[in-house]
Amino acid sequence: MSVDENTVRRIAKLARIAVTEEELAPLSKDLSTILDWVEQLGEVDTDHVPPMTSVVEMEIKMRKDIVRHDNLQKQVTQNAPQSEDGFFTVPKVIE
Amino acid sequence: MSENKNLIEGATGFWEIVMGLEIHAQVASNAKLFSGAPTEFGAEQNSQVSLVDAALPGMLPVINEECVQQAVRTGLGLGAEIHLRSVFDRKNYFYPDLPQGYQISQFKDPIVGEGEIEIDLKDGSVKRVGIERLHLEQDAGKSVHDQHPSMSFVDLNRSGVALMEIVSKPDMRCAEEAQAYVKKIRSILRYLGTCDGNMEEGSLRADVNVSVRRPGEDLGTRCEIKNVNSIRFIGQAIEYEARRQIDVLEDGGSIDQETRLFDPRAGETRSMRSKEEAHDYRYFPDPDLLPLVIKQELVDKLRAELPELPDEKKARFVREYSLSPYDAGVLVSEKASCDFFEAVADGRDAKLAANWVTGEFFGALNKAGLQIESSPVSAKQLGDLINLISDDTISGRIAKEVFEIMFETGDDPAKIVEEKGLQQVTDLGAIEAAIDEIIAANPDKVAQAKEKPKMAGWFVGQVMKSTGGKANPKSVNELLAKKLGL
C-alpha cells in the first residue's frame, strides 16, 4: 500500500500536525513502508479468529450510577492557555 | 394512496420528500456515561467536569451500568433487537468543546439494532416507521459565542453525559410525519423514563436528513439539518429545505450533500461552513474500553420490568374504558396527560373522566396557555368534581360552572358548591311546585305541547331557569311528561 503526498497532507491536517512541503516526500515513503510491513499480517488466515480485544480474558467492568464528584472548576481550567470566569476561552469558532 | 397526498408541486411537476431522522436523547442517569460527574442541567460553568470529562492525561473511562440498561430499555420500547455484544469506537474530530479530540461512540456494532414504531397522523391513520439502530455515545461540551468579540467560551458540564442516538430509516414523506415521529419517540422515552424529553434544555435534539425526488425515482442527494430543538421548528425546517432543494433542482442545479442549520428567526436553513475533512472521522475501536457484553438474563429482566407503553395503554383504554381510539390517543400521547387521566379515572366512570379531561380540562389549559404540570386544578380535585356529578349532587351543566371557578381559584369543588348553594334540587316537591307554576301561567303553551311533544323542551328550559339550573334534569323530564300527559 502506498501513501501519496496528498494523503499525507490530508492526514496531517486531520490530526492537526504541521507538516512542511519538504517533509511530505520522506513521510510518504516512511508511512508506505510501515503500511507495507503491517500488510504482511494480512497473509495470515484470520477468517475464523475473533479479534483480540484484550490480552487477558476479562469482561468490561461497569460502574454504579452514583455521583462521585467535587466541583473541580479551578483545577480543570487552571492549565488551560486561557480561561475567564470559569469558562475555557478559545479563539472564536462559529459554525 | 397515502403516498400521493404528500407530493408537493414544483414549477415542473410533482416531487416527493424523503426523510430520515437522527434523534439525540440524553440518557436519564445521575452520573455521566464514563465518569462519576453529575448530569444536572443548569449548573455553574465547568462545575460538573471530572478529570475524565476534561480528558486529562492518564484518565480512563469506566462505563455507567445504568446508562447501558437505559439504552436496552429504550431498545425494547422501540421493539428493536438488542445486541448482547457491542463495541465503543472513537470518532475523531477537533472542536474546542471536545477535549478528548474524539467522541466515544458506537459505530459498527451498536447496542441496539433494527426496530419499528407506529406514528399517529392527524387523519387518524397509523404509519410504521423503521428504526435503523440506537447507539450510546458521549455528549460534547457547550460553546458560547456571544460573550466576547473575539473569543468563544467553553463549558464542559455536558461533556461526557450519555446520549442515545436513535436513527430512523428514511421512511418519512412529509413534515407532519417527521413531527409525529419525534413526538412518538419522545412519548416512548418518557414512559420508559429513559430520557426526560425536554427539548428546551437540549435533552432531546433532532437532526433531519431531507432529500427530494421525482415520485418513483431513486433517492436524491440529502442535506442534514442539525440540532433542531422544537417540534414546530422541525416542521418549518423541513418545509423550507424541501422547497429550497426543489427550486435548486428545477433551476437545473444540483444539491450538495452538506450540513445545514435551521435559523428559527429567519425561518430558513443555512449551509454550515463547509469542511469536507470534518466528515472523515477515522473511527476505530476505543482501546480504553473492552467490548460491551451484556447477558440475555439482564435483557429479559429489563423487558419484564418495562412499564406499559403508549400504544398498549391506548389499546387498553379503548378495550376497558370504551373510549374512542381518538380520545384514547389524545390521552396517551403525553405521559403527563395520561398520568393525570388515570388518577381522575381511578375508581370512577372512565368515559366521564375522559370527557372531562379531554374536554373542559384540556380546553381550559389551552386557553390559559398552561402545561398540565402547572394546572390550578389537580387530578384529585377534578375527580371530586366527577364524584359530585355521579352522586347527583350537581348536574353536568352546573359542574361546568364549578369547574370554571375551580380553574380560577384552585378551590375544591365541594367548597364551591357549598358556598354558592349549587346543590342539585332533587326534592321532587320543589320541582313539582315549579312545574305547576309554569303550567298555570302558560295555558297556551300547554295546549301546544299536547299537539307537539317537542314543545316540552320549552318547559324544561323554564323549570331550569326558575330553579337556577339546579333542578335534576331527569326528575324534571319525568314530572313534566306526567303533568303534560305526554
Side-chain angles (χ1 to χ4, degrees):
Chain A
M1 184 187 272
S2 79
V3 179
D4 64 20
E5 292 187 15
N6 269 335
T7 309
V8 175
R9 196 180 282 120
R10 182 174 155 80
I11 295 168
K13 191 175 177 197
L14 284 170
R16 300 294 191 276
I17 296 172
V19 172
T20 62
E21 284 297 312
E22 298 78 59
E23 287 170 311
L24 286 176
L27 269 173
S28 147
K29 188 165 157 283
D30 288 354
L31 288 171
S32 298
T33 311
I34 292 167
L35 287 176
D36 286 345
W37 183 72
V38 171
E39 210 153 72
Q40 287 180 28
L41 293 172
E43 291 166 17
V44 184
D45 177 9
T46 56
D47 280 359
H48 302 288
V49 184
M52 186 182 78
T53 51
S54 170
V55 288
V56 283
E57 196 63 31
M58 60 182 292
E59 285 183 1
I60 190 168
K61 290 267 188 292
M62 300 203 198
R63 193 167 43 79
K64 297 272 177 222
D65 184 28
I66 294 168
V67 172
R68 287 178 207 281
H69 185 68
D70 298 312
N71 181 348
L72 303 179
Q73 189 198 58
K74 266 216 175 71
Q75 290 91 322
V76 296
T77 52
Q78 74 184 359
N79 290 322
Q82 270 185 301
S83 64
E84 193 175 318
D85 191 25
F87 285 101
F88 296 92
T89 56
V90 297
K92 196 159 220 153
V93 274
I94 289 229
E95 292 249 19
Chain B
M1 297 304 286
S2 65
E3 299 239 320
N4 278 350
K5 70 170 199 254
N6 292 326
L7 296 184
I8 44 179
E9 193 169 5
T12 60
F14 286 94
W15 296 85
E16 181 180 45
I17 317 180
V18 177
M19 273 171 301
L21 272 77
E22 290 163 24
I23 291 179
H24 288 91
Q26 181 178 329
V27 175
S29 66
N30 300 316
K32 294 183 180 180
L33 182 54
F34 296 116
S35 84
T39 57
E40 271 157 66
F41 178 80
E44 188 193 345
Q45 57 273 17
N46 291 313
S47 66
Q48 300 187 160
V49 184
S50 74
L51 302 180
V52 175
D53 308 322
L56 291 183
M59 295 299 117
L60 287 172
V62 182
I63 195 162
N64 179 339
E65 69 176 2
E66 175 62 8
C67 295
V68 174
Q69 296 186 10
Q70 292 286 53
V72 172
R73 288 185 188 105
T74 307
L76 293 170
L78 300 173
E81 193 186 337
I82 307 298
H83 295 157
L84 298 181
R85 182 182 184 279
S86 61
V87 175
F88 285 101
D89 298 282
R90 291 184 177 181
K91 178 180 179 177
N92 298 281
Y93 66 94
F94 281 100
Y95 203 72
D97 56 25
L98 186 79
Q100 290 167 151
Y102 57 86
Q103 175 193 35
I104 304 178
S105 181
Q106 298 189 300
F107 185 53
K108 255 177 55 201
D109 299 299
I111 186 165
V112 176
E114 292 187 330
E116 191 178 69
I117 64 165
E118 288 184 348
I119 60 171
D120 303 291
L121 301 172
K122 286 191 190 107
D123 65 3
S125 65
V126 169
K127 178 178 169 133
R128 291 169 185 278
V129 176
I131 303 291
E132 175 72 33
R133 58 184 281 161
L134 174 155
H135 65 255
L136 278 168
E137 63 184 26
Q138 299 175 299
D139 204 348
K142 189 178 159 199
S143 302
V144 187
H145 304 294
D146 57 5
Q147 298 289 305
H148 192 281
S150 60
M151 306 296 279
S152 290
F153 284 37
V154 180
D155 171 12
L156 298 182
N157 281 348
R158 230 173 49 193
S159 167
V161 167
L163 299 180
M164 297 177 281
E165 177 170 329
I166 303 166
V167 183
S168 82
K169 294 196 180 285
D171 286 349
M172 284 151 280
R173 296 289 178 272
C174 65
E176 189 207 337
E177 290 179 3
Q179 291 173 308
Y181 172 78
V182 176
K183 277 188 205 161
K184 191 55 174 280
I185 293 280
R186 184 175 64 177
S187 167
I188 291 171
L189 294 172
R190 283 177 168 166
Y191 275 88
L192 289 167
T194 57
C195 168
D196 68 23
N198 188 328
M199 296 186 86
E200 293 83 57
E201 292 179 0
S203 309
L204 192 82
R205 328 192 271 272
D207 299 344
V208 191
N209 287 294
V210 180
S211 66
V212 299
R213 66 176 172 189
R214 296 289 190 188
E217 286 188 1
D218 289 341
L219 290 175
T221 305
R222 64 188 165 85
C223 290
E224 180 181 23
I225 313 168
K226 274 268 184 215
N227 274 341
V228 195
N229 67 355
S230 87
I231 288 178
R232 191 162 56 93
F233 291 162
I234 287 171
Q236 291 174 1
I238 291 167
E239 302 281 355
Y240 177 88
E241 179 61 17
R243 183 52 65 185
R244 183 191 73 85
Q245 292 186 15
I246 290 168
D247 289 348
V248 169
L249 292 170
E250 291 192 328
D251 285 347
S254 62
I255 303 298
D256 298 324
Q257 182 165 344
E258 61 176 356
T259 305
R260 299 178 68 85
L261 273 184
F262 178 67
D263 176 350
R265 258 169 298 181
E268 60 185 32
T269 66
R270 277 202 297 266
S271 180
M272 284 172 66
R273 186 156 50 90
S274 172
K275 292 192 306 176
E276 271 171 54
E277 288 98 342
H279 290 292
D280 189 345
Y281 294 126
R282 296 149 293 144
Y283 284 97
F284 64 90
D286 191 320
D288 288 342
L289 288 157
L290 285 164
L292 176 56
V293 177
I294 51 176
K295 296 203 162 58
Q296 184 60 45
E297 295 89 80
L298 173 69
V299 178
D300 294 340
K301 173 176 162 280
L302 295 174
R303 188 193 305 273
E305 291 168 359
L306 283 189
E308 192 179 30
L309 291 172
D311 289 346
E312 296 159 18
K313 260 195 204 293
K314 181 177 167 185
R316 182 167 62 84
F317 286 178
V318 171
R319 195 175 62 238
E320 287 182 8
Y321 299 158
S322 321
L323 300 186
S324 69
Y326 178 83
D327 280 351
V330 170
L331 285 170
V332 303
S333 68
E334 294 288 343
K335 182 171 187 293
S337 311
C338 192
D339 290 345
F340 190 94
F341 163 70
E342 289 195 279
V344 174
D346 186 25
R348 302 190 177 89
D349 176 350
K351 179 82 191 148
L352 187 59
N355 285 342
W356 272 89
V357 173
T358 57
E360 301 298 315
F361 180 67
F362 283 173
L365 283 180
N366 273 343
K367 212 168 129 192
L370 289 175
Q371 295 295 310
I372 202 156
E373 291 81 6
S374 45
S375 161
V377 175
S378 70
K380 183 184 174 303
Q381 288 175 314
L382 187 53
D384 289 346
L385 179 67
I386 290 171
N387 287 348
L388 294 178
I389 306 170
S390 299
D391 68 12
D392 280 336
T393 305
I394 54 175
S395 67
R397 218 195 71 180
I398 292 287
K400 290 186 182 178
E401 275 176 44
V402 175
F403 178 78
E404 275 180 33
I405 301 169
M406 288 165 69
F407 202 85
E408 264 170 44
T409 62
D411 279 347
D412 286 338
K415 176 170 172 249
I416 296 167
V417 169
E418 181 66 39
E419 280 179 5
K420 308 229 171 222
L422 294 171
Q423 292 91 341
Q424 190 156 226
V425 179
T426 44
D427 171 5
L428 294 185
I431 297 173
E432 214 172 339
I435 292 175
D436 288 342
E437 201 176 302
I438 292 159
I439 287 180
N442 300 283
D444 52 330
K445 301 271 190 201
V446 175
Q448 284 175 27
K450 286 188 197 290
E451 298 288 312
K452 283 196 299 183
K454 272 190 187 161
M455 271 299 293
W458 180 84
F459 285 93
V460 175
Q462 292 303 305
V463 176
M464 283 301 181
K465 208 166 148 192
S466 79
T467 58
K470 292 183 288 184
N472 178 310
K474 210 168 112 224
S475 310
V476 174
N477 280 328
E478 284 169 8
L479 283 169
L480 259 176
K482 209 163 72 190
K483 298 251 175 202
L484 293 172
L486 298 175

